[in-house]
Amino acid sequence: GGGGARQWRRDSAQDEWEMVMMTRAMVTAMREKYAYGTVNMMVSAVARTAKDFGWGKLREDEVLAAMMKGLANLKGISKRKKLAILGEHLGAFLRMRKPEGMSLELWHLTQAVIVIGWMAFLRVSEILGSGYTAKGEVKEGPPGLDVCDVDIVEGEGERTRLELTIRQAKNDQTREGEVTVVYADEQSDMVYPVAKLRQWMVSARLSRGKGCTKGQPGCRECGRKKCICDCTACGKLFRNVVHGKVKDRALSRAGLTKMLKGMYGRLEETG
């Protein structure tokens, strides 16, 4: 048809057309609760998968393009430039070897936090928490992931997967908690989020600690049906690594930004 974007071919395979319809439905479902950048990230991930299948360019669908333009006008686009990770970036990064001079612990942390964050569509605050004040106190806001917020489910009759308990998502202001599931068999052997997370936890010697009350009923501190307090027995899942030593404090936003910049720098060097 006329206009700027080419109409998605209706005579293409049925599953290809259903993917377009599903993406439109996902944009509609997400528009009320999520920022434009988050929705756009989802569309980019689906578009990359479509390209891998040899299908048409998802963003050339006129209806989807109009929906995204309307969402941008409604929500606005953040003026603060953020580092976006696309599927091709993630794949190229995971094919790289550990940089010379980087500790194995830091390399495992970098791979795990980027893969888990990307595959689970998590915000930085949902992964790391809200950070610390100048006095070293924890800021108000999402608490980030503790070791005990992650369950690796596997075994006979089970689909191997990660179950991540997000204790305060952006669309969960009452802090009831949401579980995000990442299935291992939907990813390539290179990405494999379960292996990347387990690799980091082994390097950092992280495991569920004795005295953990996460998920248990009757907590007097948080007052929830199931405890969602920060766990002092287990500690944070993603932590600072200094000179190969894993610290107790959660990885900072500045630390994560440094990781991403380093990743992109190495990708540019390798072409």
Side-chain angles (χ1 to χ4, degrees):
R6 177 175 61 84
Q7 178 67 34
W8 189 277
R9 291 181 303 158
R10 289 181 178 270
D11 60 347
S12 60
Q14 181 64 26
D15 53 356
E16 185 176 346
W17 177 246
E18 288 178 355
M19 181 204 61
V20 179
M21 298 299 291
M22 178 193 70
T23 307
R24 293 178 185 174
M26 290 174 68
V27 171
T28 301
M30 295 175 69
R31 61 180 290 151
E32 295 299 326
K33 294 183 178 180
Y34 292 90
Y36 170 83
T38 303
V39 180
N40 190 49
M41 186 183 300
M42 179 276 294
V43 174
S44 295
V46 177
R48 177 62 187 182
T49 301
K51 184 178 179 181
D52 290 342
F53 275 106
W55 293 345
K57 295 182 179 180
L58 177 64
R59 288 189 180 274
E60 290 185 354
D61 174 55
E62 290 182 345
V63 174
L64 181 61
M67 292 174 70
M68 293 303 295
K69 183 177 180 180
L71 184 61
N73 292 336
L74 177 67
K75 298 275 188 174
I77 300 176
S78 175
K79 295 181 180 180
R80 181 182 176 185
K81 188 175 181 180
K82 298 181 179 180
L83 293 172
I85 303 176
L86 302 180
E88 54 264 39
H89 300 153
L90 183 67
F93 169 64
L94 293 174
R95 286 190 291 270
M96 293 175 58
R97 294 187 178 184
K98 181 179 75 67
E100 186 176 351
M102 177 182 284
S103 70
L104 194 61
E105 291 81 4
L106 182 57
W107 179 238
H108 289 166
L109 169 64
T110 304
Q111 288 191 316
V113 72
I114 291 176
V115 168
I116 299 304
W118 196 85
M119 296 305 307
F121 291 97
L122 298 180
R123 297 178 176 85
V124 174
S125 60
E126 293 166 353
I127 303 170
L128 305 180
S130 302
Y132 301 88
T133 66
K135 296 181 179 180
E137 300 172 346
V138 178
K139 291 181 179 179
E140 289 290 330
L145 291 170
D146 287 340
V147 173
C148 48
D149 288 324
V150 179
D151 284 322
I152 298 177
V153 180
E154 55 190 346
E156 188 175 351
E158 293 280 0
R159 287 182 69 185
T160 302
R161 62 189 183 274
L162 293 176
E163 293 185 352
L164 310 172
T165 299
I166 310 303
R167 289 178 282 151
Q168 187 181 346
K170 187 174 182 179
N171 59 338
D172 177 34
Q173 297 301 311
T174 58
R175 297 187 66 182
E176 296 300 326
E178 297 181 352
V179 176
T180 296
V181 179
V182 179
Y183 289 102
D185 57 6
E186 293 179 351
Q187 317 306 328
S188 68
D189 291 338
M190 184 180 296
V191 176
Y192 203 65
V194 173
K196 296 301 181 186
L197 181 61
R198 180 178 280 126
Q199 185 175 254
W200 155 244
M201 293 180 71
V202 170
S203 290
R205 299 178 182 178
L206 301 177
S207 61
R208 194 156 187 155
K210 294 181 179 179
C212 175
T213 60
K214 187 71 64 66
Q216 294 184 10
C219 178
R220 295 180 179 178
E221 186 172 343
C222 67
R224 299 299 179 190
K225 292 179 180 180
K226 293 183 179 181
C227 178
I228 60 168
C229 296
D230 275 347
C231 185
T232 56
C234 300
K236 293 300 178 186
L237 178 63
F238 297 117
R239 309 181 182 191
N240 278 325
V241 175
V242 181
H243 302 303
K245 294 184 179 180
V246 180
K247 303 298 183 178
D248 292 334
R249 178 173 283 197
L251 176 67
S252 65
R253 287 171 177 253
L256 178 59
T257 300
K258 185 177 180 180
M259 281 182 177
L260 294 176
K261 288 182 177 179
M263 181 189 82
Y264 280 113
R266 288 187 288 272
L267 289 178
E268 288 178 359
E269 291 174 2
T270 58

